[in-house]
Amino acid sequence: MPEERFDTWAAGDGYERYMGRWSRRVAEVFAASLGVGPGARWIDAGCGTGALAGAVAARCRPGLVLGVDRSAAFVAAAQAAAVPAGAPGPVFAVADAQALPVRDGAFDAAVSALALNFLPDPGAAVAEAARAVRPGGLVAAYVWDYADGMGFLGHFWDAAVALDPSAAALDERRRFPLCRPEPLGALWAGAGLDAVRVVPVEVATPFAGFADLWEPFLAGQGPAPGYVASLTPAARGRLREALARALPVRADGSIALTARAWAVSGRRTGR
């Protein structure tokens, strides 16, 4: 992973409340949709805190699930959360998604959740995933639709940029090109994968109240929380007030938003 993710995505607990709880919802839908049969060998490249590896273990009756991530803190959090329930639990190791320490064709499926936009060379990671699966094996991933589909992040950056135009340089909507179907499909095709398809996965992101939405931004886990951490207390307070005014708060104080991811998949060619 690049230095940004290695540094600002460092603590599993902070990530879990900020983004992991929503990633888990997408992971469950994504894993169930892939159609990989029981007994398959899976690798989750850039596994983070283990949301996708856990969903595969719980829903897909795998023979093996190996999750790898460059962040030792994330791997430790994934290991702590991996509790088998009548099925083989995932195992985790510290390793780079762009240089997987596995032999060619060792897996039936290679998957990844929300990691591609944080890698220096996403193409190398997809090529490594394709190398790691057998001919006909599945390579699939999902990324957030930063451009149009992340409700709470969109509101956050709109408020931040209105107060501080320089914050636009950190806005994921501008920074991350792999958040639309066309570049994702091209990335998979460029790795020589066949039967490429890109589909949306949308989940609800309900917040019990403003504190439930705002407090995870204070943990420093990710670009937006990293920006909040850089502010003076006064500037942070102004941002908090601006964001609170902009959100669609219900009469009971709750906030109902949605998040969309794009899921891309393809098959390794050859016999």
Side-chain angles (χ1 to χ4, degrees):
M1 292 183 181
E3 289 304 313
E4 178 192 13
R5 181 164 179 187
F6 199 62
D7 289 338
T8 65
W9 297 105
D13 290 345
Y15 172 81
E16 185 62 28
R17 190 171 179 200
Y18 172 58
M19 195 65 76
R21 53 179 167 168
W22 314 127
S23 174
R24 290 183 185 280
R25 295 187 177 207
V26 178
E28 291 171 1
V29 177
F30 176 76
S33 73
L34 294 176
V36 177
R41 296 170 60 86
W42 297 70
I43 184 167
D44 179 1
C47 65
T49 56
L52 180 52
V56 168
R59 292 177 171 268
C60 301
R61 293 190 291 163
L64 169 71
V65 184
L66 170 64
V68 300
D69 198 285
R70 267 190 59 180
S71 167
F74 272 9
V75 167
Q79 288 172 329
V83 180
V91 295
F92 298 95
V94 177
D96 191 341
Q98 299 163 120
L100 295 172
V102 300
R103 61 180 175 80
D104 294 0
F107 295 88
D108 301 294
V111 293
S112 183
L114 309 179
L116 288 173
N117 279 296
F118 296 93
L119 297 173
D121 190 349
V126 180
E128 274 291 273
R131 178 189 67 78
V133 300
R134 60 172 173 76
L138 177 74
V139 178
Y142 64 87
V143 298
W144 290 126
D145 181 359
Y146 290 115
D148 298 310
M150 293 297 290
F152 73 95
L153 275 181
H155 283 291
F156 173 88
W157 286 118
D158 286 345
V161 172
L163 293 169
D164 174 16
S166 70
L170 297 173
D171 186 342
E172 290 101 327
R173 294 175 296 186
R174 301 182 182 214
R175 293 176 58 201
F176 296 146
L178 293 174
C179 62
R180 293 182 181 273
E182 294 79 8
L184 285 169
L187 186 65
W188 253 238
L193 296 163
D194 281 346
V196 176
R197 64 193 296 260
V198 185
V199 298
V201 181
E202 189 166 291
V203 297
T205 57
F207 298 90
F210 180 72
D212 188 29
L213 184 147
W214 171 252
E215 289 174 2
F217 283 107
L218 305 179
Q221 295 296 296
Y227 172 73
V228 173
S230 75
L231 297 175
T232 65
R236 193 176 304 133
R238 288 191 293 271
L239 176 55
R240 182 186 186 283
E241 292 172 4
L243 179 57
R245 289 194 300 269
L247 290 166
V249 181
R250 292 176 166 180
D252 64 358
S254 66
I255 303 165
L257 298 171
T258 60
R260 180 169 62 224
W262 289 109
V264 56
S265 63
R267 297 276 177 179
R268 178 179 169 182
T269 58
R271 293 174 177 256

